[in-house]
Amino acid sequence: MANKKNRRSALGLGNLLEVLSQGRDSRADADESLRICVLVDLDAPRYLALAIRDALVPKTPTAAVDVWPLGVRLDAIDEVPDAAVVIPGASVTDCAEAARHMAGLGAPTCLVVPSAVDAPELGLGDAATALVGVVAASDASALPRKLSSWLSRSLGEKCVALAAAFPFCRQAVVDGLALRCALENAALGAVSLVPGSDFPIMTTNQAKLAVQMSSCYGASLSPRRAAELAGVVGAGAMYRSCARSVAGLLPGIGNLLKAAIAFGGTMATARGVRASLEGWSLSELIGVGGVAEPAPFSAGPVAPLPTPSEAAGEQAVQYLQIDPDGKARS
């Protein structure tokens, strides 16, 4: 009987193969093609246009950013993007047409405005409205967090590719992955009927989460990453032992406590992995003083936005494609 119980609560070869398979899939997910289209009104708030240009510089060769002036013939945009970002100005008509066109292609579309009251009334149908969101940022430093949150929610299965390509999106993506894994493990802890049977599943989920997070940061499998996975397994065993002990002391609400410990343990593990990937200090890891925020985007010495004459000819603006090294090419 004891041997059967041990087999149920032990990690096996199948669990290891599942984690390795997740590593291969996550690497493929990080390398998946990703295209974001930015449509900017020539009289849009300059700080928003510059902040978005600073943020949307892809770090992977499979990601691309196309930038077009609002008012261009929309059929000139010949590739369907994974997401569209519209920076409106005075022309509500151009903004509405762009949002309607992109939503009609099935691309999630975001209007970036200084405040929610500045979002134009577009008069879109129900189907298009469901794909259109608003990000309001009164200054450039507030934009990355809000835009990354919208992009991570909107891109769904391509969120790992998003995080790998755009570093400002990594926190939002890994937070979403960690929350999903924590909720799954909490559900397993709450409904587990066979003692110990949830341990290998929960620990495998946590190890797969660690692999996904590494792919979000572009980190390949290395001895250090392998040591982190071993730490994840050890942490899972510790959380499971704690949950068993507490559940035994409070039999009436044991499953609820196991669910709470599974959720908290998974979130703590994710925080530890993120700390390793980002090189946090000990004070940042334990929450003293908080995690250092990235420096606000700087307008700096940048090329000016195109004038109406430069935008004529229905061609994408000068920085149509942005290479991984940050250099623009037409």
Side-chain angles (χ1 to χ4, degrees):
M1 180 69 72
N3 289 337
K4 291 182 179 180
K5 181 177 180 180
N6 289 336
R7 283 198 296 269
R8 285 196 299 265
S9 60
L11 290 169
L13 178 60
N15 301 111
L16 176 60
L17 293 176
E18 190 175 346
V19 173
L20 293 176
S21 175
Q22 179 64 62
R24 183 176 60 252
D25 293 343
S26 294
R27 186 65 263 168
D29 290 342
D31 292 335
E32 194 170 2
S33 65
L34 179 68
R35 182 171 296 274
I36 297 177
C37 181
V38 179
L39 298 107
V40 55
D41 197 316
L42 298 181
D43 60 0
R46 185 176 178 80
Y47 77 92
L48 289 179
L50 295 179
I52 286 178
R53 190 177 72 170
D54 285 346
L56 292 178
V57 179
K59 302 299 183 183
T60 57
T62 53
V65 178
D66 301 334
V67 186
W68 297 82
L70 278 179
V72 70
R73 275 183 50 193
L74 294 169
D75 56 5
I77 304 175
D78 54 2
E79 290 193 54
V80 180
D82 295 290
V85 176
V86 179
I87 316 173
S91 176
V92 176
T93 301
D94 288 344
C95 177
E97 287 181 356
R100 186 180 299 110
H101 180 77
M102 289 298 172
L105 294 175
T109 302
C110 172
L111 305 183
V112 179
V113 293
S115 67
V117 297
D118 294 314
E121 188 64 42
L122 302 180
L124 304 177
D126 292 341
T129 299
L131 288 172
V132 177
V134 174
V135 168
S138 58
D139 61 80
S141 63
L143 182 62
R145 177 178 55 82
K146 295 182 178 182
L147 182 60
S148 65
S149 178
W150 180 85
L151 285 169
S152 65
R153 293 194 311 269
S154 301
L155 288 179
E157 294 181 354
K158 287 196 173 184
C159 65
V160 174
L162 173 71
F166 302 106
F168 81 100
C169 290
R170 286 172 181 168
Q171 180 177 345
V173 171
V174 299
D175 284 351
L177 292 172
L179 179 60
R180 184 170 62 189
C181 181
L183 290 173
E184 183 177 342
N185 280 353
L188 287 170
V191 302
S192 177
L193 300 178
V194 179
S197 62
D198 54 355
F199 169 71
I201 302 175
M202 287 184 182
T203 305
T204 300
N205 285 345
Q206 290 181 349
K208 289 164 64 177
L209 172 64
V211 170
Q212 283 183 305
M213 292 175 64
S214 295
S215 295
C216 287
Y217 284 81
S220 58
L221 189 60
S222 64
R224 180 178 178 179
R225 297 279 87 83
E228 286 178 1
L229 289 178
V232 168
V233 173
M238 181 184 68
Y239 299 143
R240 188 67 189 84
S241 176
C242 178
R244 267 200 311 266
S245 300
V246 173
L249 294 174
L250 301 169
I253 56 173
N255 281 352
L256 292 178
L257 289 173
K258 287 195 295 182
I261 293 173
F263 181 89
T266 302
M267 295 299 287
T269 298
R271 183 174 176 83
V273 173
R274 184 183 163 207
S276 174
L277 291 166
E278 295 186 0
W280 291 2
S281 66
L282 178 61
S283 61
E284 289 173 332
L285 177 60
I286 63 178
V288 178
V291 179
E293 293 293 333
F297 290 119
S298 169
V302 293
L305 293 177
T307 63
S309 60
E310 292 171 335
E314 297 173 355
Q315 298 295 318
V317 300
Q318 183 180 359
Y319 43 96
L320 169 61
Q321 299 284 347
I322 305 178
D323 287 333
D325 61 4
K327 295 180 180 179
R329 60 184 172 86
S330 58

